[in-house]
Amino acid sequence: MNSSQEIIGVSHLEKKFDSLDVIHDISFSVYEGEVLGIIGPSGSGKSTLLRCIMQLTDVTAGSIRICGKNLVTDGVYADKELLREIGLNLGLVFQNFNLFPHFSVLQNITDAQIHVLDKTEEQAEQTAMTLLEKMGLTSKAHAYPCELSGGQQQRVSIARALAMKPKVLLFDEPTSALDPELTGEILSVIRSLAEEKMTMVVVTHEMAFARDLSDQIIFMDDGIIVEQGSPDDVIRHPRMERTKLFLSRFSGGR
């Protein structure tokens, strides 16, 4: 039994689009300071799962707890005020950066701090510059997204998420839109956050990275959890034939 605080608790989660089961009977917990890696083929429901946790997609049934508060219980959502409060504990880093193109890097990081957290412009900029220094991007504060490489844009999006002081960061294939040579810089940032004991859920196709970074791994296929456990259990010594078949396609993944 983990003695740390449960940050995310998902119980018997279901998501249907019409008659299509996209997520079926998903249950897991993520505890403070842990990294959960979620792997699986395209279309297995990984991104939909993150969207359900982030309130970007309504669930069909099941329950989600965030930091001990019930986001949704047996398919019934909390009231709007509590949903907003719960949402502030979560930060999401998208595949395709989702930066505002008409905002500078600095504005992208300060806007939500000012309008959601009610920070002053000076406070928001101080936080933004501290995070940009951490990301190695202080010289890009007044640049616009179109002037940045993909790796730089993704580092800005991570800084933007961190600026909101979330309890947990969720990453949806954070390197899938990047050239291979830029992938390493993003994985390095995520690795440094793990070393700082940031609680994270990382959907990734980087098997070696998931193996080395995660405290626990979930392998999803066809909307269900096929196998879950430690990286040693799931990636090095998988029990299920479906997991073995999936991992056999990745050289160096085990």
Side-chain angles (χ1 to χ4, degrees):
M1 186 73 178
N2 196 313
S3 59
S4 300
Q5 179 191 4
E6 182 189 68
I7 301 296
I8 297 176
V10 173
S11 302
H12 306 295
L13 199 67
E14 309 267 347
K15 175 60 185 177
K16 292 184 179 182
F17 290 107
D18 297 324
S19 61
L20 179 65
D21 265 334
V22 180
I23 293 175
H24 180 67
D25 199 22
I26 296 282
S27 297
F28 64 89
S29 292
V30 183
Y31 293 90
E32 188 173 20
E34 277 191 343
V35 178
L36 169 65
I38 303 180
I39 61 173
S42 297
S44 59
K46 306 184 301 298
S47 293
T48 300
L49 174 58
L50 292 193
R51 291 180 64 84
C52 288
I53 293 170
M54 287 296 303
Q55 305 179 43
L56 297 173
T57 296
D58 289 340
V59 308
T60 304
S63 303
I64 301 173
R65 295 179 306 281
I66 307 294
C67 298
K69 296 180 180 177
N70 294 323
L71 172 71
V72 55
T73 305
D74 296 329
V76 179
Y77 279 85
D79 61 60
K80 285 186 177 180
E81 185 177 338
L82 183 55
L83 290 179
R84 180 186 179 279
E85 181 185 329
I86 290 171
L88 291 175
N89 292 305
L90 302 165
L92 177 61
V93 178
F94 295 89
Q95 294 182 34
N96 296 311
F97 325 133
N98 280 35
L99 299 175
F100 294 115
H102 58 294
F103 279 5
S104 69
V105 165
L106 194 61
Q107 288 173 301
N108 265 284
I109 301 172
T110 58
D111 185 64
Q113 293 185 70
I114 294 166
H115 294 103
V116 178
L117 299 184
D118 295 325
K119 285 189 175 184
T120 66
E121 189 171 339
E122 184 180 2
Q123 289 170 329
E125 287 190 3
Q126 186 174 6
T127 297
M129 292 308 296
T130 299
L131 288 166
L132 286 174
E133 183 178 4
K134 184 174 183 174
M135 298 293 159
L137 291 173
T138 48
S139 65
K140 301 294 185 181
H142 300 290
Y144 286 82
C146 65
E147 300 173 293
L148 305 179
S149 70
Q152 289 170 332
Q153 289 186 61
Q154 192 62 296
R155 278 183 279 160
V156 172
S157 68
I158 294 171
R160 179 179 61 182
L162 288 171
M164 302 300 288
K165 298 285 195 294
K167 292 287 181 64
V168 57
L169 271 185
L170 293 85
F171 292 86
D172 187 8
E173 296 277 16
T175 61
S176 66
L178 301 178
D179 294 332
E181 64 183 23
L182 297 177
T183 292
E185 65 186 61
I186 300 306
L187 299 184
S188 178
V189 168
I190 299 172
R191 190 174 285 110
S192 70
L193 293 173
E195 289 169 357
E196 295 168 11
K197 294 300 180 183
M198 181 78 201
T199 309
M200 294 185 284
V201 177
V202 184
V203 170
T204 183
H205 60 274
E206 302 283 344
M207 292 303 114
F209 179 70
R211 177 196 65 203
D212 296 340
L213 184 79
S214 305
D215 296 289
Q216 56 173 325
I217 297 274
I218 285 175
F219 170 60
M220 288 182 65
D221 191 26
D222 286 336
I224 66 167
I225 293 178
V226 176
E227 196 160 352
Q228 66 185 115
S230 70
D232 195 56
D233 290 338
V234 177
I235 292 186
R236 290 191 175 94
H237 303 104
R239 293 177 296 106
M240 307 301 290
E241 286 303 318
R242 181 66 189 93
T243 315
K244 293 176 184 177
L245 179 63
F246 174 76
L247 290 171
S248 70
R249 299 188 290 120
F250 296 90
S251 60
R254 290 169 63 185

